[in-house]
């Protein structure tokens, strides 16, 4: 299996632009998680899905952030409009429903 | 609520030195405990886990023992290598409402020099 796939690996954009991050989970995994990693706040859980349904989005920082999972093999995290303080590494992870999660390589976002 | 506390880094060691990274947790019940490792430019990978008190998780020469009495899960390795340089995250699993969630510590950066 190819593991969790994220794209792009790096994204540089200007403040106010829309940013879309993409994730393909491991086939057969029912759970998908989006995390944000910064030096100041460490690793934060933003939202997670079970069978394509958002279960807990309490970690989403504000309305500028939205996440979707239209099918079992694809999810997006969108920021609109983006701000410099959104600069971070965003990770996607998937799980078969056990207590282990499998992480993607991350997307490094820089908002100028 | 549940939380994980790790020793602050960075930890700097010479090759073949002994490693300890402290981790303590606060939780109701007896959650599963994990160590994840993040190599430069990569995502987190599961290093080892323990699911109940007195269990010892081990992998790649790393070990950690689930200590209920001290609510700890310290990571140890007898002889580190340069290739062990990475950020190490301690985590616990919280099963709530029918779903598993991982709660991570802040991470400890390890730098091993030749």
């Amino acid at each position: 299996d190819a593991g969790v796939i994220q794209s792009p690996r790096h994204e540089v954009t200007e403040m106010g632009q829309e940013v879309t991050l993409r994730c393909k989970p491991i086939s057969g995994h029912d759970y998908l998680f989006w995390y944000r990693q910064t030096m100041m706040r460490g690793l934060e859980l933003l939202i997670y899905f079970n069978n394509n349904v958002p279960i807990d989005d309490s970690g989403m920082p504000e309305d500028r952030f939205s996440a979707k999972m239209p099918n079992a093999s694809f999810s997006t995290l969108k920021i609109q409009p983006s701000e410099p303080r959104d600069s971070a590494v965003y990770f996607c992870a998937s799980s078969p429903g056990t207590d282990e999660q499998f992480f993607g390589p991350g997307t490094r976002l820089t908002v100028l | 609520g549940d939380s994980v506390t790790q020793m602050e880094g960075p930890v700097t060691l010479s090759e073949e030195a002994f490693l300890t990274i402290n981790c303590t947790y606060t939780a109701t019940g007896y959650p599963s405990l994990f160590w994840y490792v993040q190599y430069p430019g990569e995502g987190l990978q599961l290093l080892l886990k323990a699911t109940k008190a007195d269990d010892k998780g081990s992998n790649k020469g790393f070990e950690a023992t689930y200590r209920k009495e001290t609510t700890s899960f310290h990571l140890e390795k007898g002889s580190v290598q340069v290739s062990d340089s990475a950020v190490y995250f301690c985590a616990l699993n919280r099963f709530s409402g029918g779903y598993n969630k991982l709660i991570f510590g802040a991470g400890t950066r390890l730098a091993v020099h030749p």
Side-chain angles (χ1 to χ4, degrees):
Chain A
D1 200 315
V4 176
I5 299 172
Q6 292 187 246
S7 64
R9 292 295 308 276
H10 302 274
E11 178 79 33
V12 180
T13 191
E14 293 188 348
M15 182 174 62
Q17 296 298 305
E18 178 180 292
V19 175
T20 300
L21 311 182
R22 297 173 176 79
C23 175
K24 176 179 169 56
I26 294 172
S27 177
H29 284 194
D30 297 333
Y31 291 83
L32 184 139
F33 305 81
W34 282 101
Y35 291 89
R36 179 173 67 177
Q37 185 181 42
T38 62
M39 291 293 292
M40 291 297 295
R41 301 173 69 91
L43 198 62
E44 304 172 275
L45 176 64
L46 301 178
I47 185 172
Y48 70 96
F49 296 80
N50 176 226
N51 290 325
N52 313 337
V53 176
I55 301 302
D56 184 352
D57 64 355
S58 59
M60 296 286 262
E62 48 197 278
D63 291 346
R64 297 184 298 106
F65 287 70
S66 63
K68 294 182 179 180
M69 192 165 185
N71 57 62
S73 59
F74 184 65
S75 177
T76 59
L77 178 67
K78 186 175 294 186
I79 308 173
Q80 166 63 19
S82 58
E83 298 182 2
R85 59 194 169 114
D86 301 331
S87 297
V89 180
Y90 291 81
F91 289 105
C92 176
S94 69
S95 172
T98 65
D99 54 12
E100 184 177 350
Q101 294 181 19
F102 297 79
F103 283 74
T107 295
R108 181 174 296 277
L109 173 65
T110 303
V111 183
L112 303 175
Chain B
D2 296 351
S3 65
V4 175
T5 302
Q6 293 181 232
M7 62 187 290
E8 287 191 22
V11 174
T12 304
L13 296 173
S14 298
E15 206 164 25
E16 299 183 2
F18 184 86
L19 168 70
T20 299
I21 299 178
N22 290 338
C23 171
T24 58
Y25 66 91
T26 302
T28 54
Y30 304 106
S32 296
L33 301 175
F34 305 82
W35 278 100
Y36 277 79
V37 59
Q38 182 181 26
Y39 298 104
E42 298 183 13
L44 280 70
Q45 305 172 24
L46 179 64
L47 180 60
L48 54 84
K49 63 184 277 190
T51 58
K52 60 183 187 296
D54 300 325
D55 264 4
K56 177 184 286 188
S58 61
N59 186 25
K60 300 181 180 180
F62 290 89
E63 293 183 340
T65 301
Y66 192 141
R67 300 288 188 197
K68 182 180 64 174
E69 61 277 10
T70 54
T71 62
S72 64
F73 193 55
H74 304 321
L75 183 68
E76 297 182 336
K77 187 175 185 182
S79 176
V80 294
Q81 306 300 312
V82 173
S83 57
D84 294 327
S85 299
V87 181
Y88 292 82
F89 292 88
C90 186
L92 65 83
N93 179 63
R94 169 52 57 205
F95 187 77
S96 175
Y99 303 98
N100 286 296
K101 288 177 62 173
L102 285 176
I103 297 170
F104 287 91
T108 302
R109 182 175 300 278
L110 170 66
V112 180
H113 299 289

